[in-house]
């Protein structure tokens, strides 16, 4: 497996584009806010959505469109969530209809997604007006424009592609994502679109997505707020010519490794670019009796406001790590817990057997001042482990969210 | 029932004191950090503790001391949590022994509690050295000094007392509390000490505390972090001379109303003085099919980082309210939900039937700019309701917690 460029256009047969449609009144003309991805042939498609009881209309529309496990493309906007308004459903339908008209496809060939403010009416006219120009921009170089178009408070574009050999064929898988705020485990918690030229049945694709997402994207938490709009969709058009993946054979395993690689990359990128984040926080819990317990412990630590604020201050306040583990409801023995802080500047043991050890505060400060910090927790009870990703809690998070809507 | 002054010394037979012992190195000599409360007779006693799996040593010591449902006093320090260190348990025992020696009681007559940094060795010498002076300061006017002594990042003292008639007797109930950070529902989530001259059996007292705490103190959330040290203890010495409360009679009901009043007052005071808070956030969910669902919805809204940040910015971002309700896991129908924002400046409907209504943004801003803001949610499904309290998320929360330990 190797990383390549091209994002969602890296795989054979996919084009993409992004454009400024003016979805949000007064938004900068420099900022793309409408994205289109299209395959030249029909794709096996699968998706996972937010577990929030309040779901945006585009999710319901996409669910209906993917009932047959097939799709041709994705249309998505930023600047408005198209959620909790009188006409949300109609507008999601109109978005698909506009994309279909501009590309010669049918409305139900599209995955549709929105991200932005909840509860404000979507400016569908801006979208339908811009759609023909957007469709005419579709190209093999369009992934970056599309990735830019789905960003909201993201400061960095999230885009990746990998190649993997399945038998004697090269299969390519690429993806783009947006994250930043309202990010918390439980499905997608963001927008993420993946494209591949792999030949795979919709059933196997859905199975694979359900295996990989919970261990990658769902292990990111930024602020504990699971959005109403999270969608992760994958489209595979089969143009790589590999033997069709119909069961869990070696090709399934190899392609699953590629999917894990791509989604892990995007999960880390989303965590590192959390709203206001100054550093990526990785928490690995190992030595657990179960992976589930390790995951819950790791999520509690990465999700703790107090741990996150301490990480912002590069403060080796490991007591907050134990406190967060304690209220996670996961089983573990506090008296066996070892905690280390690690980064490119080294590692330092701060807690052994659940109690304090003498450590060099200056060294700890240096370790915690790096761009990526790992909280390494050993439960000393078993063989299972899990890693979750998050970021620190900073003044900028408060600033961004204190007045995001207006 | 009426409010009176005197705090934990308002009831007959109680004295209290606070002193600066120097628990935390370099702390201001102006700041009390050691508190003592003592009854002149034996009390019925009950307590509730954090549900965190990692519990501080003082909780285990207090649990053992209260096995017989009796106590004489409380000894508590701020500046150190006495949790997760090699000698935590021994030091909690030593605190009780020192309090006992200074007052002529036995160690097991005391409730012991600590609050502050986790994982650093408690300076027990400072405490034992200061204890005789602290005991000699015990007086009927000492509640305020004791309340000051248990404060950490609190900016305001939490102290209250009420009188209630039980038959022909006046019974008094008073309390002090500390809150501020690491505050999240699930028992105590703070330190709270209550004293009364009510005559009540330990069994009835414990039953009452378990009925009232979940609807008052446990409905506060500041940051979602349930502390390792939370303790709420109540001591009743019987000196009011009322008929002993042995079952759920009228006196039980009347005294329970007093306890509810006192704990509601302290819950609101803790929420309003949450770390960095600029306003008190109250969320009432009514029209629910069950109180449990109403409580979970209300807690999710008051606990949402995004709602809290929006409240800081006085931004009427009601979509985040619906989003938080949606991920609470509580059952409700989004399409029936009405949301209003209320304060002393008026009230404004911002969402009806789960979707947007046109509202005056300037008016909403004015309403949300007040010191206390109420998010009023009507589920339009049933007759049950619940109220939770929290505060906004501000720059100061991040500042306080970015470098609390050092």
């Amino acid at each position: 497996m190797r990383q390549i460029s091209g994002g969602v256009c890296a795989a054979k047969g996919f084009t993409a584009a992004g454009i400024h449609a003016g979805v949000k009144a007064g938004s900068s003309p420099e900022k793309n806010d409408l994205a289109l991805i299209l395959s030249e042939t029909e794709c096996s498609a699968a998706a996972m959505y937010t577990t929030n009881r309040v779901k945006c209309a585009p999710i319901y529309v996409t669910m209906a469109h993917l009932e047959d496990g097939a799709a041709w493309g994705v249309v998505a906007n930023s600047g408005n969530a198209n959620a909790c308004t009188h006409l949300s459903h109609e507008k999601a339908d109109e978005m698909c209809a506009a994309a279909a008209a501009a590309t010669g496809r049918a409305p139900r060939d599209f995955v549709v997604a929105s991200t932005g403010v909840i509860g404000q009416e979507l400016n569908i006219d801006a979208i339908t007006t811009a759609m023909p120009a957007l469709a005419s921009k579709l190209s093999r170089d369009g992934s970056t424009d599309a990735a830019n178009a789905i960003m909201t408070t993201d400061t960095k574009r999230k885009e990746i592609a990998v190649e993997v050999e399945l038998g004697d064929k090269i299969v390519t898988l690429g993806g783009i994502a947006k994250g930043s705020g309202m990010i918390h485990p439980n499905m997608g918690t963001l927008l993420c679109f993946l494209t591949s030229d792999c030949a795979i049945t919709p059933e196997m694709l859905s199975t694979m997505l359900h295996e990989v997402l919970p261990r990658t994207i769902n292990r990111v938490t930024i602020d504990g707020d699971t959005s109403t709009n999270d969608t992760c969709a994958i489209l595979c058009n089969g143009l790589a010519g590999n033997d069709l993946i119909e069961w869990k054979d070696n090709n399934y395993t190899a392609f699953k490794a590629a999917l894990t690689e791509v989604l892990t990359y995007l999960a880390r990128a989303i965590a590192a670019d959390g709203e206001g984040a100054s550093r990526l926080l990785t928490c690995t819990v190992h030595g657990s009796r179960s992976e589930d317990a390790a995951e819950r412990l790791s999520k509690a630590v990465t999700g703790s406001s107090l741990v996150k604020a301490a990480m912002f201050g590069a403060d080796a306040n490991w007591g907050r790590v134990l406190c967060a583990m304690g209220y996670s409801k996961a089983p573990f023995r506090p008296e066996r817990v070892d905690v280390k802080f690690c980064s490119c500047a080294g590692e330092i043991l701060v807690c052994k057997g659940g109690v304090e050890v003498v450590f060099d505060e200056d060294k700890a400060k240096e370790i915690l001042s790096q761009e990526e910090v790992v909280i390494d927790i050993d439960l000393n009870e078993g063989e299972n482990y899990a890693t979750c990703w998050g970021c620190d809690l900073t003044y900028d998070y408060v600033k961004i969210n204190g007045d995001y809507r207006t």
Side-chain angles (χ1 to χ4, degrees), chain A:
Chain A
M1 195 185 326
R2 66 184 189 94
Q3 276 199 29
I4 59 171
S5 60
V8 287
C9 297
K12 288 194 185 82
F14 285 95
T15 55
I19 201 170
H20 171 78
V23 172
K24 192 172 178 177
S27 61
S28 161
E30 311 283 297
K31 169 68 181 83
N32 287 351
D33 55 9
L34 190 61
L36 193 59
I37 304 170
L38 193 67
S39 169
E40 65 181 60
T41 59
E42 187 177 82
C43 302
S44 290
M48 290 177 74
Y49 312 95
T50 185
T51 55
N52 197 309
R53 182 176 284 260
V54 179
K55 289 178 179 60
C56 66
I59 285 181
Y60 290 110
V61 171
T62 300
M63 284 176 172
H65 289 185
L66 294 190
E67 265 174 6
D68 59 355
W72 285 67
V74 175
V75 59
N77 72 276
S78 57
N80 188 303
N82 195 21
C84 304
T85 78
H86 287 282
L87 298 173
S88 287
H89 201 101
E90 288 78 356
K91 291 184 177 194
D93 281 340
E94 284 182 63
M95 263 178 81
C96 294
T103 57
R105 302 295 335 152
R108 66 170 294 116
D109 293 338
F110 285 90
V111 167
V112 57
S114 297
T115 177
V117 183
I118 300 167
Q120 291 184 356
E121 207 177 307
L122 177 67
N123 182 354
I124 188 70
D125 291 342
I127 290 173
T128 52
T129 304
M131 196 64 79
L134 178 65
S136 73
K137 283 184 70 184
L138 282 169
S139 83
R140 296 281 298 157
D141 302 321
S143 177
T144 298
D145 282 351
N148 285 333
I150 58 171
M151 287 164 68
T152 52
T153 49
D154 304 63
T155 65
K156 291 173 190 155
R157 192 170 60 245
K158 287 99 185 164
E159 193 178 15
I160 187 187
V162 299
E163 282 181 351
V164 59
E165 283 179 45
L166 300 195
D168 60 347
K169 303 294 181 187
I170 299 290
V171 169
T172 301
L173 170 68
I176 59 174
K178 65 114 348 196
S180 222
M182 254 194 205
I183 302 289
H184 187 65
N186 270 329
M187 149 47 228
T189 67
L190 73 180
L191 297 187
C192 179
F193 306 122
L194 306 168
T195 59
S196 175
D197 45 23
C198 185
I200 181 169
T201 65
E203 294 73 21
M204 282 292 101
L205 188 59
S206 179
T207 299
M208 188 182 293
L209 190 62
H210 281 78
E211 287 174 0
V212 176
L213 208 70
R215 290 193 159 110
T216 53
I217 297 288
N218 283 6
R219 288 190 174 167
V220 176
T221 184
I222 302 297
D223 50 16
D225 281 13
T226 303
S227 143
T228 54
N229 286 50
D230 308 329
T231 300
C232 178
I234 180 165
L235 277 65
C236 295
N237 64 16
L239 293 181
N242 59 292
D243 293 341
L244 181 69
I245 299 175
E246 296 183 276
W247 58 78
K248 294 192 178 182
D249 55 12
N250 288 345
N251 283 351
Y252 182 93
T253 306
F255 190 58
K256 182 177 164 182
L259 185 60
T260 302
E261 168 110 355
V262 164
L263 286 178
T264 301
Y265 174 90
L266 292 173
R268 288 171 54 92
I270 288 162
D273 193 29
E275 280 180 340
S278 76
R279 43 184 138 266
L280 170 62
L281 180 58
T282 298
C283 178
T284 297
V285 173
H286 48 101
S288 174
R289 278 173 288 166
S290 80
E291 183 181 349
D292 177 63
E295 182 178 348
R296 280 198 284 162
L297 289 163
S298 177
K299 268 186 193 168
V301 171
T302 44
S304 159
S305 292
L306 288 169
V307 171
K308 287 156 62 74
M311 291 300 105
F312 172 54
D315 178 13
N317 198 331
W318 60 269
R320 293 181 179 171
V321 173
L322 257 73
C323 177
M325 294 170 69
Y327 64 68
S328 72
K329 313 264 185 241
F332 73 103
R333 300 192 198 166
E335 69 276 15
R336 290 203 184 179
V337 173
D338 300 337
V339 180
K340 279 192 286 194
F341 293 126
C342 318
S343 76
C344 62
E347 65 172 59
I348 193 160
L349 181 75
V350 291
C351 166
K352 181 145 188 71
V355 296
E356 84 280 18
V357 293
V358 176
F359 64 88
D360 179 343
E361 288 278 355
D362 293 337
K363 180 67 184 169
K365 194 95 182 168
E366 190 198 343
I367 288 168
L368 294 176
S369 297
Q370 308 305 314
E371 266 192 26
E372 178 176 352
V373 168
V374 177
I375 302 178
D376 179 287
I377 299 167
D378 193 341
L379 303 182
N380 291 300
E381 294 186 81
E383 299 300 317
N384 294 285
Y385 66 93
T387 296
C388 291
W389 300 279
C391 61
D392 54 349
L393 175 63
T394 69
Y395 298 122
D396 281 349
Y397 178 85
V398 178
K399 185 173 182 182
I400 291 165
N401 288 301
D403 201 13
Y404 170 66
R405 197 181 52 104
T406 48

